[in-house]
Amino acid sequence: MRHPILFVLLCLAAGGSVGCKGDGSMSSQGVGGGVWGDLSGVRVQRFTLRNGNGMEVDLCDYGAMVTSVRVPDRNGGSVDVVLGFDSIGEYPEKSQYFGCTVGRVGNRIAGGSFELDGQSYSLAINNGPNHLHGGERGFDKYVWNATELLTSRGPGVRFSRSSPAGEEGYPGTLEAEAVYVLTENDELVIEMSATTDARTPCNIVHHTYWNLGGHGSGTVLDETLIIDADRYTPVDATLLPTGELALVDGTPLDFRAGKSIGSDFGAFPANGDDPGGFDHNLCLNGEVGTVREVARLSDSKTGIVMTISTDQPGIQFYTGNFLNGMMGKGGAIYEQNGGLCLETQAFPDSINHRGEAGWSDVVLRPGTDYRHVMVHRFSID
Ligand code: GLA
């Protein structure tokens, strides 16, 4: 189930720190970790990955999540481009899936129900009439097992958890992993994988909120985005796909040539409970199962550029519409649209569109591996 490239020279350590000097400080490359706090008596650890170019990534075993990514900017400074909180205690209360690993199935499932092998399954309903992001207590709300790694590509952490059959209504025990590696090419590589002992839908998603101007620097509306997608999945009032795979031509969702996020933002105004803004799945061009570059985000103030490559069929582009001015790291205020998510994934509600043209099969079977690769590459324009 592990990817050969990531694990070639794998694992100097399980448990101890790799890349730490004798005095406990970090060497220029490596991973260091320690206890961050506890949640209801369960110990929570945090880890820092560091490469030789001054890039650093903080990870946490609660939710197998990213809490910070510090990247050099064009002025020689370092900018934290990820929304998060200073203390672990704030996450269960305030986080809107900040930085976490979402599962067993990310995004929405209509009415929380689906059929598999002639049997009906009912999942937890936690978003209007639908199931969202794995249910009431999805993968983001557990402390995962963590192992520090030193791979051929750079330092990393492997998170794993066993999701028992029946959890949130899903069939089969799922053994899930999320592996993070920071490379000398300034890539944050995320690889999600899973196996099961019974047929189950599986679509594990990464949910970091990015702001390349720096977390807390205001909205992301002036950032420039390219998404390589000719089609998207139109949705109903509860954000469920209608089943159509519509062309982006002539719509606000045409990001193929690149444009500022704010330029067509007015096309999705607030309406009742809907706060407005982008919250759409785009159908990525290129071959599913092949890692290819699918998105590019840039900020003109810091000069920071992030590209995303993935093997997945879709990407949820979400502009932090539900952010509500909560206080984040260092007293920063996360106002509405103060961060955006680019969640590579299988299309939302795929389990109820099986066999339809253009939709992928999200059923994981015993003896097969689920695999999802995401590469975030940072550079300066
Ligand atoms: C996803 C969904 C959004 C919202 C966020 C979390 O991106 O598509 O509608 O639920 O997660 O707040």
Side-chain angles (χ1 to χ4, degrees):
M1 145 157 117
R2 291 170 199 157
H3 185 257
I5 302 172
L6 292 184
F7 289 87
V8 175
L9 287 177
L10 176 83
C11 293
L12 284 186
S17 273
V18 182
C20 278
K21 295 178 189 164
D23 61 2
S25 63
M26 290 277 296
S27 58
S28 63
Q29 294 153 268
V31 45
V35 174
W36 193 18
D38 79 274
L39 284 174
S40 312
V42 180
R43 184 191 67 165
V44 175
Q45 299 182 88
R46 193 152 63 152
F47 305 86
T48 299
L49 311 181
R50 178 179 287 186
N51 74 8
N53 308 322
M55 193 177 150
E56 294 178 329
V57 175
D58 293 338
L59 305 168
C60 175
D61 57 7
Y62 176 74
M65 66 179 170
V66 171
T67 59
S68 292
V69 174
R70 292 177 289 279
V71 285
D73 68 5
R74 77 152 73 89
N75 304 314
S78 173
V79 180
D80 183 352
V81 294
V82 163
L83 276 58
F85 301 104
D86 284 328
S87 64
I88 186 60
E90 291 168 271
Y91 277 87
E93 204 183 309
K94 291 158 70 174
S95 175
Q96 296 179 1
Y97 300 94
F98 279 19
C100 65
T101 302
V102 170
R104 175 179 309 199
V105 174
N107 218 299
R108 292 170 179 81
I109 294 180
S113 64
F114 61 91
E115 275 196 18
L116 206 50
D117 300 328
Q119 202 178 322
S120 300
Y121 291 91
S122 294
L123 306 173
I125 303 293
N126 62 327
N127 187 250
N130 303 318
H131 176 88
L132 175 71
H133 290 340
E136 292 292 346
R137 190 176 182 196
F139 288 11
D140 58 298
K141 296 180 183 67
Y142 285 89
V143 177
W144 296 50
N145 301 313
T147 306
E148 297 175 7
L149 308 172
L150 200 56
T151 77
S152 57
R153 300 184 70 185
V157 176
R158 181 173 68 237
F159 296 105
S160 62
R161 83 169 289 261
S162 180
S163 163
E167 187 174 83
E168 301 293 321
Y170 288 104
T173 299
L174 193 84
E175 303 293 341
E177 286 192 359
V179 176
Y180 294 84
V181 172
L182 176 62
T183 76
E184 286 304 311
N185 273 339
D186 297 331
E187 297 158 319
L188 174 60
V189 180
I190 308 177
E191 182 171 303
M192 293 156 272
S193 59
T195 57
T196 184
D197 63 3
R199 289 173 144 218
T200 177
C202 180
N203 180 29
I204 303 175
V205 172
H206 181 74
H207 209 293
T208 283
Y209 288 70
W210 305 98
N211 185 329
L212 300 186
H215 78 104
S217 67
T219 78
V220 292
L221 299 185
D222 58 357
E223 300 200 342
T224 302
L225 180 64
I226 299 174
I227 301 180
D228 186 18
D230 291 343
R231 292 177 185 269
Y232 73 106
T233 48
V235 289
D236 68 13
T238 69
L239 292 179
L240 271 181
T242 59
E244 188 194 352
L245 305 181
L247 290 166
V248 297
D249 292 80
T251 78
L253 289 159
D254 189 351
F255 282 91
R256 292 172 296 184
K259 63 177 175 176
S260 119
I261 292 167
S263 55
D264 288 327
F265 203 73
F268 302 106
N271 180 15
D273 289 343
D274 176 358
F278 290 101
D279 195 354
H280 296 80
N281 171 68
L282 290 101
C283 311
L284 296 169
N285 295 337
E287 201 179 324
V288 177
T290 299
V291 179
R292 72 271 189 219
E293 187 173 311
V294 296
R296 181 185 194 274
L297 180 68
S298 57
D299 185 282
S300 59
K301 302 183 292 295
T302 59
I304 296 171
V305 177
M306 178 180 77
T307 60
I308 295 181
S309 301
T310 189
D311 56 357
Q312 293 296 297
I315 196 166
Q316 187 80 14
F317 171 43
Y318 169 60
T319 42
N321 310 327
F322 292 103
L323 294 174
N324 54 9
M326 79 263 275
M327 188 179 289
K329 288 181 284 191
I333 300 298
Y334 300 147
E335 59 188 278
Q336 189 175 34
N337 313 128
L340 64 84
C341 303
L342 289 163
E343 309 157 55
T344 59
Q345 59 180 0
F347 303 166
D349 201 28
S350 281
I351 188 66
N352 288 311
H353 292 276
R354 292 170 70 198
E356 295 177 25
W359 291 73
S360 58
D361 183 6
V362 290
V363 177
L364 181 66
R365 299 163 178 81
T368 59
D369 291 349
Y370 167 79
R371 185 158 176 265
H372 175 170
V373 179
M374 245 188 142
V375 181
H376 303 83
R377 180 157 200 280
F378 294 87
S379 58
I380 300 171
D381 222 358

